[in-house]
Amino acid sequence: MSFQVPFHEVRGEKEEGSYIIKLKADANKQSIFDWMSLEHSEGGSVTHDYNQSNFYHGFAARCNQELLTALRNRSDIEYIAEDAIAYVGSTTLAKGTLESDENVTGGAKAHVIAPVDLNAASLGNKVEYDTTSEESKKITQDDATWGLHRISHKGAAQKPYKYVYPESAGDGATIFVLDTGVYIEHSEFEGRASHGPSFKGDPEDKNGHGTHVAGTAIGKTYGAAKKANVISVKVHDDEGKGQSSTTIAGIDWVVFQTLFRYRKPTIMNMSFGHHVEADDVTPVDHAVNM
């Protein structure tokens, strides 16, 4: 059987029966919802409607085979993708230990694959950073980690590690951390962390990975931007598991906030990865190109 709509399969783990439906630019989403309700009421249901920022014209749905086949034969759909599952990296913060400030971030390993500067790369804003005015306003942290030393020095890092950074230290910047949540009351954050929406129930971080990532970003000891703010967007559950459909919902919320609320430098961080084909235009590409 041939179909009009391209279908993107996941080579790794996927959420069975869940699909991401990307619409063509001129498609009427509500008419598709009405059609699903009238002609395929038993075939599935919409799980995420990406309607906050319109950065990604589409939705996610659970579909049986009949509904999926019908969707694949519509002329107003650009593509349909299986819903990939991703897991966050390992962390030294065990569950249930986040109440103690002794369990500070900085020791865990996380592979940060997608920090996106939503101001510099999108929204039509050209952001220029004046580095000359900061030359005489540098701060040196003597008890720095290898990573902090490495990002502020050229060449191989040698002990003792020092972190040299501007006095502004990211003041006024907002970093959206899409992860397992953030323990916002941790003393490392000095009140600069807050909860955004949770797409996975309780917004608290009961895994530890999201708190580690936030600590790497803004922590007073381990953070690169020690005066910036973090807003947590929980898209992975307490086991560290998340889906592409949920991640897109989180990105949708972040793009809306960047477009209509936070006009100062904003960054979106996702320390996890989903498999995509090399030629795919991903939801992150859509967010950057808004």
Side-chain angles (χ1 to χ4, degrees), residues 35-222:
W35 166 81
M36 289 173 61
S37 178
L38 290 172
E39 299 190 27
H40 297 275
S41 59
E42 303 297 324
S45 60
V46 174
T47 54
H48 295 287
D49 180 6
Y50 309 126
N51 61 357
Q52 293 205 45
S53 66
N54 293 319
F55 92 104
Y56 188 82
H57 189 34
F59 60 95
R62 298 201 63 84
C63 305
N64 64 12
Q65 191 58 50
E66 180 183 351
L67 175 56
L68 179 62
T69 299
L71 287 166
R72 292 187 66 182
N73 280 306
R74 289 187 63 99
S75 61
D76 50 1
I77 293 178
E78 184 175 326
Y79 67 79
I80 298 174
E82 293 181 321
D83 196 359
I85 291 175
Y87 294 88
V88 297
S90 62
T91 174
T92 57
L93 288 176
K95 294 180 186 177
T97 63
L98 294 176
E99 305 82 45
S100 171
D101 287 343
E102 293 177 1
N103 297 297
V104 293
T105 58
K109 294 180 180 179
H111 182 48
V112 181
I113 65 163
V116 180
D117 186 333
L118 292 175
N119 287 95
S122 64
L123 312 182
N125 295 336
K126 182 178 180 181
V127 178
E128 297 181 354
Y129 299 97
D130 183 2
T131 57
T132 57
S133 63
E134 297 289 347
E135 289 301 319
S136 61
K137 299 179 182 180
K138 299 289 187 181
I139 295 175
T140 299
Q141 178 182 341
D142 293 323
D143 58 343
T145 61
W146 176 91
L148 289 175
H149 180 100
R150 190 68 183 83
I151 64 174
S152 64
H153 293 78
K154 294 181 179 180
Q158 297 181 353
K159 292 183 178 181
Y161 299 141
K162 298 178 183 292
Y163 179 41
V164 181
Y165 60 95
E167 186 179 48
S168 58
D171 188 23
T174 301
I175 303 172
F176 297 95
V177 174
L178 278 66
D179 215 285
T180 61
V182 172
Y183 175 43
I184 65 174
E185 296 180 0
H186 202 294
S187 62
E188 277 286 305
F189 301 138
E190 303 174 303
R192 290 176 288 110
S194 60
H195 289 310
S198 172
F199 296 92
K200 290 291 182 180
D202 185 350
E204 296 296 335
D205 183 10
K206 298 178 182 177
N207 176 281
H209 187 269
T211 302
H212 157 70
V213 170
T216 302
I218 70 164
K220 66 179 180 181
T221 305
Y222 303 102

Side-chain angles (χ1 to χ4, degrees), residues 201-251:
D202 185 350
E204 296 296 335
D205 183 10
K206 298 178 182 177
N207 176 281
H209 187 269
T211 302
H212 157 70
V213 170
T216 302
I218 70 164
K220 66 179 180 181
T221 305
Y222 303 102
K226 300 178 187 298
K227 294 182 182 179
N229 300 299
V230 151
I231 297 178
S232 169
V233 181
K234 188 170 181 177
V235 296
H236 284 249
D237 64 21
D238 297 338
E239 303 300 322
K241 177 182 176 181
Q243 294 80 19
S244 293
S245 58
T246 306
T247 298
I248 297 172
I251 296 173

